[in-house]
């Protein structure tokens, strides 16, 4: 009888889980596996590009690819996981609820921005975490062009100086100039809790971030916390008041809330702790992948980060292993020893580093070319062609 793998989510990890499972079934000449992806739409949203202009274009359709690989897509959102009954109940866009069974479940629902209970944050802060919220920000910036030039209009405050905050802040000077004109004095201020800019990076990388910020005129408020946000700006814990029509929240992410439905161990970001085959201990039929998984990448104590780079590989292993378990094949332990960081630094260029110690290998336009190759090509879905897609889905094939 046919066995079913249900993958919840069609982002980087969900898409690659599905292709990888289909690949193994094809390699085994098996028509015993049914592969289904459940997500709100048969598309991949390219979240790493949400700090860029024209955000609506960063969506890649998946229907042709899924059809080519006999992957079924269900359009809806999972609401409840029953690991005892091995079912997922989900709601479609008309509000109808359906219950779908599985033999293996792969949870690939990604992550969401963390929004702490800061006064005014929910009402007044923008974010670029999801396509819709990034579109709201873009429309807001467009609308500001028609407003009189004031310090508040011309100032953007980015709360949080992590990966997303840095890429957005360094991109903003050009985005503001394009709207308000070259002669308008604009300001971009990053409010960061840490003592140094880019605190989670190596010293070499931090130096580059500082240099690029200075060249672009991006200011950093370090050791700074946000006390309150309102329609006219932000008040810092120090009492400093910054007048701004645009306060953007980028501080902190956590795994999708569905991770909390499972009776399993989670880390501080709500990610499910998985074993080396990406199964959840105590729930062997359930795999977590991408941003929902806390997984060891090597024997050196490194763990996967909430990045595309990890989500893509985690997806390939999760799909392979879920299929392997149904086809009675030995699974592959998840391994991802190589790690690179490529940060866009707007008009200054970019920085590219290799290794967990983040040795800087290139900067400025040379690194920008790498960044563009990654975000405009490497992370996009493969062609809707079995040979091409299956070759790319091999978990053991070289990735970065
Ligand atoms: C602004 C921004 C910039 C980033 N920059 C970088 C970068 O430069 N480099 C990098 O490596 N990473 C970057 N990341 C992180 C990267 O985007 C994530 O790590 C990656 O998207 C995780 O992949 P995923 O498959 O786990 O989740 P996602 O890609 O988020 O996919 C989740 C999927 O689950 C679906 N889903 C959600 N809820 C449900 C539900 N209830 N039922 C069914 N489906 C559901 C969604 O629709 C989506 O299809 C960035 C993220 C953001 C937001």
């Amino acid at each position: 009888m046919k066995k079913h793998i249900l993958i919840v989510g069609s982002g980087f990890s969900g898409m690659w889980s599905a292709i990888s499972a289909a690949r193994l079934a094809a390699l085994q000449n098996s028509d015993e596996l049914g592969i289904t992806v459940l997500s709100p739409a048969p598309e991949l949203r390219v979240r790493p590009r949400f700090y860029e202009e024209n955000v609506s274009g960063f969506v890649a359709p998946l229907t042709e690819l899924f059809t080519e690989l006999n992957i079924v897509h269900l359009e809806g959102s999972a609401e409840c996981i029953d690991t005892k009954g091995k079912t997922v109940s989900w709601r479609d866009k008309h509000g109808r609820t359906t219950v779908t069974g599985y033999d293996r479940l792969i949870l690939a629902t990604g992550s969401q921005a963390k929004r702490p209970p800061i006064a005014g944050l929910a009402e007044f802060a923008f974010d670029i975490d999801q396509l819709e919220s990034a579109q709201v920000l873009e429309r807001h910036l467009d609308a500001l062009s028609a407003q009189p030039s004031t310090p508040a209009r011309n100032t953007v405050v980015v709360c949080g100086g992590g990966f997303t905050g840095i890429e957005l802040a360094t991109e903003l000077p050009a985005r503001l100039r394009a709207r308000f004109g070259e002669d308008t004095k604009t300001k971009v201020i990053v409010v960061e809790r840490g003592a140094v800019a880019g605190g989670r990076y190596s010293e070499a990388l931090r130096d580059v971030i500082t240099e690029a910020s200075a060249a672009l005129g991006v200011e950093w408020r370090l050791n700074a916390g946000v006390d309150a946000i309102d329609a006219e700006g932000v008040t810092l814990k120090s009492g400093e008041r910054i007048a701004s029509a645009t306060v953007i929240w980028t501080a902190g992410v956590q795994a999708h809330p569905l991770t909390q439905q499972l009776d399993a161990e989670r880390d501080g970001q709500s990610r499910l702790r998985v074993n080396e085959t990406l199964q959840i201990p105590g729930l062997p039929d359930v795999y977590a992948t991408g941003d929902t998984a806390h997984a060891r990448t090597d024997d050196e104590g490194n763990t996967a980060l909430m990045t595309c780079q990890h989500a893509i590989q985690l997806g390939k292993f999760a799909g392979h292993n879920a299929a392997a378990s149904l086809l009675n094949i030995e699974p592959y332990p998840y391994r991802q020893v190589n790690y690179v960081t490529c940060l866009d630094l707007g008009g200054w260029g970019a920085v590219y580093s290799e290794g967990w110690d983040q040795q800087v290998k290139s900067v400025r336009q040379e690194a920008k070319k790498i960044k563009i190759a990654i975000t405009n090509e490497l992370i996009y879905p493969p062609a809707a062609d079995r040979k091409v897609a299956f070759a790319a889905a091999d978990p053991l094939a070289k990735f970065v």
Side-chain angles (χ1 to χ4, degrees):
M1 211 175 66
K2 214 164 172 132
K3 299 279 187 186
H4 290 278
I5 300 176
L6 177 61
I7 299 161
V8 186
S10 61
F12 298 96
S13 61
M15 174 192 71
W16 282 110
S17 293
I19 303 171
S20 181
R23 169 185 171 272
L24 189 60
L27 283 177
Q28 297 299 312
N29 287 321
S30 171
D31 54 9
E32 298 293 294
L33 280 191
I35 300 162
T36 300
V37 175
L38 166 67
S39 71
E43 62 188 23
L44 172 99
R45 294 177 164 204
V46 189
R47 294 175 74 201
R49 300 192 66 182
F50 286 180
Y51 65 94
E52 290 182 44
E53 203 73 271
N54 300 320
V55 69
S56 302
F58 304 140
V59 177
L62 295 174
T63 302
E64 209 187 328
L65 175 68
F66 283 175
T67 305
E68 170 73 14
L69 306 182
N70 293 327
I71 295 165
V72 174
H73 183 263
L74 300 175
E75 207 163 305
S77 290
E79 292 191 331
C80 191
I81 300 171
D82 173 2
T83 54
K84 288 204 175 70
K86 291 199 189 184
T87 61
V88 172
S89 64
W90 55 278
R91 194 178 288 265
D92 69 17
K93 64 180 174 207
H94 306 294
R96 285 184 301 242
T97 298
T98 303
V99 176
T100 298
Y102 64 81
D103 294 291
R104 298 290 180 269
L105 174 69
I106 302 180
L107 187 63
T109 43
S111 57
Q112 298 176 349
K114 221 189 252 179
R115 286 184 158 248
I118 290 174
L121 193 148
E123 300 93 315
F124 301 108
F126 295 89
D127 71 68
I128 56 166
D129 187 56
Q130 304 294 328
L131 184 70
E132 291 77 8
S133 56
Q135 286 169 325
V136 169
L137 171 66
E138 192 163 309
R139 282 197 294 272
H140 165 79
L141 293 175
D142 288 342
L144 284 182
S145 312
Q147 306 261 322
S149 178
T150 62
R153 185 201 71 159
N154 300 336
T155 300
V156 178
V157 178
V158 177
C159 304
F163 203 104
T164 302
I166 294 168
E167 291 199 321
L168 177 65
T170 51
E171 185 78 2
L172 276 167
R175 293 181 68 176
L176 298 181
R177 272 200 309 277
R179 288 175 172 79
F180 305 158
E182 293 291 327
D183 298 332
T184 303
K185 181 150 177 38
T186 60
K187 245 187 197 189
V188 176
I189 301 171
V190 181
V191 175
E192 165 58 36
R193 202 167 47 176
V196 286
R200 57 171 274 220
Y201 299 116
S202 68
E203 197 179 339
L205 212 52
R206 290 201 300 267
D207 288 347
V208 177
I209 294 165
T210 302
E211 184 187 336
S213 300
L216 294 166
V218 172
E219 296 175 25
W220 284 73
R221 295 285 192 282
L222 298 168
N223 296 311
V226 174
D227 190 43
I229 301 168
D230 56 57
E232 272 95 44
V234 55
T235 307
L236 304 188
K237 289 221 164 89
S238 62
E240 183 186 357
R241 172 80 190 162
I242 306 172
S244 170
T246 315
V247 179
I248 310 170
W249 188 259
T250 71
V253 244
Q254 62 186 7
H256 191 279
L258 277 175
T259 56
Q260 290 163 26
Q261 286 190 9
L262 301 179
D263 183 13
E265 212 187 313
R266 288 176 291 275
D267 69 8
Q269 289 177 296
S270 208
R271 295 188 301 176
L272 293 154
R273 290 186 190 274
V274 290
N275 65 18
E276 64 176 7
T277 47
L278 308 184
Q279 286 154 296
I280 298 170
L283 298 172
D285 301 326
V286 186
Y287 295 71
T289 191
D291 283 0
T292 68
H294 175 113
R296 286 167 56 145
T297 55
D298 54 32
D299 297 325
E300 309 296 316
N302 296 306
T303 46
L305 301 175
M306 285 170 147
T307 66
C308 258
Q309 177 180 176
H310 289 108
I312 288 170
Q313 283 301 92
L314 281 163
K316 293 176 193 174
F317 278 87
H320 179 94
N321 288 346
S325 75
L326 294 171
L327 296 168
N328 294 318
I329 295 170
E330 276 299 302
Y332 289 153
Y334 166 65
R335 277 286 173 282
Q336 190 166 1
V337 175
N338 290 350
Y339 169 60
V340 304
T341 306
C342 198
L343 257 179
D344 198 342
L345 295 169
W348 186 87
V351 56
Y352 170 74
S353 74
E354 287 179 357
W356 287 92
D357 55 350
Q358 296 173 326
Q359 296 173 31
V360 172
K361 297 291 178 188
S362 65
V363 293
R364 289 194 178 261
Q365 289 317 307
E366 198 188 323
K368 191 85 156 187
K369 280 189 206 143
I370 300 173
K371 181 73 184 178
I372 290 169
I374 293 172
T375 55
N376 293 22
E377 290 167 35
L378 184 72
I379 63 174
Y380 271 74
D385 174 293
R386 286 172 82 79
K387 226 170 138 192
V388 172
F390 286 165
D394 180 352
L396 303 184
K398 187 170 168 12
F399 177 48
V400 289

